[in-house]
Amino acid sequence: MKTTHTFGIQFIIRTGKKDRDKGLVYARITVETRRIEISLKKTIAVEEWNKARGMAKGFSPESKKFNSYLEHVRSQLTDAYRELQINKEKITPENIKALFLGDSDEHTLIELVDYHNTTQASVLSPGTMKNYRTTKKYLERFLKKKFKASDIYLVQVNYKFITDFEYFLRNYQPLDHQKPIGNNGVMKHQERFRKMINLGFRLGWITQKPFDSYKLSFRKVDRGFLTEKELHAIENKKLKVERLQIVRDVFIFSCYTGLSYIDAINLSPDEINLGIDGQYWIFSKRQKTDTKLRIPLLPKALEIANKCQKHPRSISRDRVFPLISNQKLNSYLKEIADLCAIRKNLTFHLARHTFATTVTLSNGVPIETVSQVLGHKSISTTQIYAKVLEKKISEDMRKLKLTLCKSIDK
């Protein structure tokens, strides 16, 4: 390990946008080509500051006292640098700053994460909050492995920390049955981590935004969906076990409405009413985004709703469907896939994809309409589902042939 470094301390002032006459004093620490700044939480008039020498001008008692304080800070920072040298620890501006601040009121990473999760619990959906708690667990595991600590100061979170965390996520081997984290899973953790770090910047807990130089890199993935043949195979399969019948009903209902698991399982009979066309519609909200849902019920979906809301377990909870967890539902869907000889990874979210592709877009429903029904805030989100299916291509080309033939005949 390198024992000697180019080390420097400089005092600077920064003026605010509204008050240009006074400046906040910072200590700038430089090690090699890297640097970091510490707010000393002291202000001084710009005209009283010697920019070249990094100190107060003049020899008044106030100036002498101010400069004495700066020299004390310089001495403490130098002591922190030497302590890292003696202990043969890594010498970085962040580590010097952390050692200098010691047990002060400097904020920590896990403190920020907990603050975010507490303040956002009533704003974000339970499913989204669950994802943030999972990101926190991975951060804690990373801290334990990389730093042998349960927490670090926010000033230690820099670009290298971010890239090291990415490397940790990509190489993390789960101890249970779970699969390793894929690229997009890693990026989602980093996306959530970035949001929390940016919150720390807005709170004034950190003075830099380490994610500014980091680029999220999601890979495009094909969204799975059921073909018309596969959809009908599940609809028409004779199932003897009641739990599979219930799961199949909820799943097929979503295939014809586009509802997510949480919105389907929480759907109330009161949210199904007659629309302006005299037909039954769903009038609800997406739990994830609080977006209004206005969904005309197709015959198959209405048939399932009328049947399932009469189930004793549905009546007891005043919902259209009996309660069943998403985890169990997905597990039972795999049984149904086996019984129907469907080799695709059947999950509940596949129903939403099937509605967007096989049921609507491939049957000529405009993407703007599909976007509204799905409750998307942006049509660009809907375009992910806009697959050009072979059936639709065939029909469009058939119409083109007829048009061309008519043109030739003329």
Side-chain angles (χ1 to χ4, degrees):
M1 181 181 291
K2 191 174 180 180
T3 56
T4 58
H5 302 77
T6 302
F7 169 64
I9 301 166
Q10 181 184 6
F11 296 108
I12 62 171
I13 63 170
R14 295 189 184 280
T15 58
K17 291 182 179 180
K18 294 182 179 180
D19 187 359
R20 296 288 184 179
D21 295 327
K22 283 188 177 182
L24 187 63
V25 183
Y26 288 82
R28 177 182 288 169
I29 309 165
T30 304
V31 177
E32 304 298 348
T33 58
R34 294 170 58 185
R35 69 186 188 189
I36 200 169
E37 293 171 2
I38 305 174
S39 171
L40 301 183
K41 300 177 182 178
K42 288 186 177 292
T43 58
I44 188 171
V46 174
E47 62 180 15
E48 295 177 4
W49 181 254
N50 187 326
K51 185 177 178 181
R53 300 184 65 185
M55 60 189 296
K57 294 179 180 177
F59 300 95
S60 67
E62 292 78 11
S63 295
K64 288 181 178 179
K65 184 178 179 181
F66 197 93
N67 289 335
S68 177
Y69 167 75
L70 295 182
E71 285 308 308
H72 178 66
V73 170
R74 187 189 301 276
S75 176
Q76 285 184 309
L77 288 170
T78 303
D79 287 344
Y81 169 75
R82 287 172 179 163
E83 185 175 335
L84 291 173
Q85 274 187 319
I86 292 169
N87 295 330
K88 296 183 178 179
E89 295 180 34
K90 192 168 185 179
I91 299 176
T92 65
E94 293 80 8
N95 287 347
I96 293 172
K97 181 176 180 179
L99 198 57
F100 167 76
L101 293 170
D103 296 325
S104 71
D105 60 354
E106 185 73 8
H107 298 283
T108 67
L109 174 58
I110 300 303
E111 179 189 358
L112 173 62
V113 172
D114 288 338
Y115 178 84
H116 171 274
N117 291 351
T118 300
T119 56
Q120 295 299 302
S122 60
V123 178
L124 302 176
S125 69
T128 302
M129 286 309 306
K130 180 182 177 183
N131 292 334
Y132 273 101
R133 288 191 290 271
T134 302
T135 298
K136 177 188 175 183
K137 288 180 182 177
Y138 280 111
L139 280 168
E140 289 174 330
R141 289 168 183 165
F142 173 64
L143 291 175
K144 186 176 181 180
K145 182 176 181 180
K146 180 75 176 178
F147 297 89
K148 302 295 188 292
S150 59
D151 202 358
I152 61 170
Y153 289 112
L154 276 174
V155 296
Q156 294 174 267
V157 179
N158 52 20
Y159 181 81
K160 187 174 185 303
F161 182 98
I162 295 168
T163 55
D164 285 348
F165 182 50
E166 178 188 336
Y167 180 81
F168 169 81
L169 291 171
R170 291 189 184 281
N171 292 276
Y172 183 78
Q173 295 296 324
L175 299 177
D176 53 16
H177 63 281
Q178 293 178 336
K179 296 179 181 178
I181 308 172
N183 176 79
N184 288 0
V186 170
M187 289 298 107
K188 291 302 290 185
H189 282 300
Q190 292 285 54
E191 190 174 52
R192 290 187 283 270
F193 184 29
R194 180 178 66 180
K195 184 188 173 189
M196 293 185 282
I197 289 296
N198 288 343
L199 171 63
F201 178 81
R202 292 193 297 274
L203 289 169
W205 291 7
I206 48 177
T207 58
Q208 294 177 321
K209 298 171 73 174
F211 267 98
D212 278 356
S213 301
Y214 182 84
K215 185 178 180 181
L216 295 171
S217 180
F218 287 97
R219 293 173 188 164
K220 289 185 178 180
V221 293
D222 288 333
R223 301 272 179 146
F225 62 93
L226 294 177
T227 64
E228 188 175 0
K229 182 179 178 181
E230 291 168 334
L231 178 59
H232 290 159
I234 296 175
E235 286 183 51
N236 300 323
K237 184 67 178 178
K238 299 294 183 182
L239 300 172
K240 297 179 181 179
V241 183
E242 186 190 38
R243 62 177 170 82
L244 295 184
Q245 293 171 3
I246 294 172
V247 167
R248 189 256 304 277
D249 285 339
V250 183
F251 180 78
I252 295 299
F253 182 81
S254 181
C255 286
Y256 285 99
T257 60
L259 287 182
S260 65
Y261 160 78
I262 196 66
D263 295 327
I265 213 69
N266 286 334
L267 184 66
S268 165
D270 293 338
E271 293 174 315
I272 299 177
N273 291 290
L274 290 173
I276 57 172
D277 55 0
Q279 302 298 312
Y280 282 99
W281 289 49
I282 291 174
F283 297 92
S284 184
K285 282 186 177 182
R286 282 199 74 192
Q287 181 170 315
K288 182 178 180 180
T289 60
D290 204 38
T291 308
K292 288 183 179 179
L293 291 175
R294 301 291 183 266
I295 308 172
L297 280 177
L298 295 170
K300 186 66 180 180
L302 182 59
E303 176 191 331
I304 292 172
N306 288 334
K307 179 184 74 170
C308 290
Q309 64 184 330
K310 297 174 184 176
H311 193 286
R313 285 164 53 198
S314 299
I315 295 172
S316 66
R317 62 190 298 262
D318 191 27
R319 294 293 182 268
V320 172
F321 298 104
L323 180 62
I324 180 170
S325 72
N326 196 15
Q327 185 178 7
K328 285 186 177 180
L329 193 148
N330 284 328
S331 176
Y332 297 153
L333 278 174
K334 287 172 175 51
E335 287 187 48
I336 293 174
D338 290 338
L339 292 171
C340 296
I342 294 174
R343 295 184 178 181
K344 292 176 180 175
N345 180 27
L346 203 58
T347 63
F348 193 85
H349 207 61
L350 206 68
R352 191 166 164 84
H353 300 174
T354 300
F355 172 80
T357 53
T358 306
V359 175
T360 56
L361 290 171
S362 64
N363 285 311
V365 179
I367 192 171
E368 294 82 4
T369 301
V370 177
S371 184
Q372 286 290 319
V373 173
L374 289 172
H376 288 162
K377 291 184 176 180
S378 170
I379 200 168
S380 62
T381 307
T382 317
Q383 287 170 341
I384 297 172
Y385 299 94
K387 298 178 181 298
V388 181
L389 306 178
E390 290 180 3
K391 175 187 172 185
K392 185 68 168 60
I393 295 174
S394 176
E395 289 180 356
D396 290 344
M397 294 304 291
R398 180 179 60 81
K399 292 177 182 178
L400 176 61
K401 286 178 184 177
L402 290 174
T403 302
L404 293 173
C405 287
K406 289 179 181 178
S407 178
I408 293 172
D409 291 341
K410 291 179 180 180

